[in-house]
Amino acid sequence: MKKYFIEPKEGFSQAVITETTTTKTIHISGQIGDGNNLESQTTSTFRNLEQQLLNCNATFKDVVKMTTYIVNFNPEQDLPIFRKVRKEFLGESNYPASTLVGVSILGKRECLIEMEAIAIIEKTNL
């Protein structure tokens, strides 16, 4: 198995790729976005996640698992916003397995959302 680190920073990498003879698995670190409300930060976060996928020659179609963290999560207000933006990026069906967790704070106080993902590509599709 080969392992590659994408954009390593102090303490973490934006993504880690592991390869076997048949698959390439991409683990993307938590992505955040810009904006002054949940909708704008969610859109920006999806764009950043999409860019990390592209950096690894992948797309949202390759994502098998996503984890989302939303600060002070209120299901009645926040879930419709999240679903609306997710639909813009992922379409209306065949979503990856997903977990959404409400948290009190993220690594940067101004952030309202953070998302991480795992994507798998079969080598025949590379």
Side-chain angles (χ1 to χ4, degrees), residues 42-50 60 85-86 89 115:
T42 302
T43 300
S44 182
T45 299
F46 265 102
R47 283 189 186 123
N48 291 339
L49 186 57
E50 183 175 48
F60 280 117
V85 175
R86 179 183 65 182
F89 286 86
M115 295 170 49

Side-chain angles (χ1 to χ4, degrees), residues 65-70 73 78-79 82 98-102 113:
K65 174 73 170 98
M66 293 178 75
T67 304
T68 303
Y69 305 93
I70 296 179
F73 181 65
D78 301 337
L79 197 53
F82 175 75
S98 298
T99 301
L100 192 155
V101 181
I113 186 168

Side-chain angles (χ1 to χ4, degrees), residues 20-33:
T20 67
T21 56
T22 58
T23 61
K24 174 172 136 176
T25 302
I26 305 160
H27 296 265
I28 298 176
S29 292
Q31 299 296 301
I32 56 175

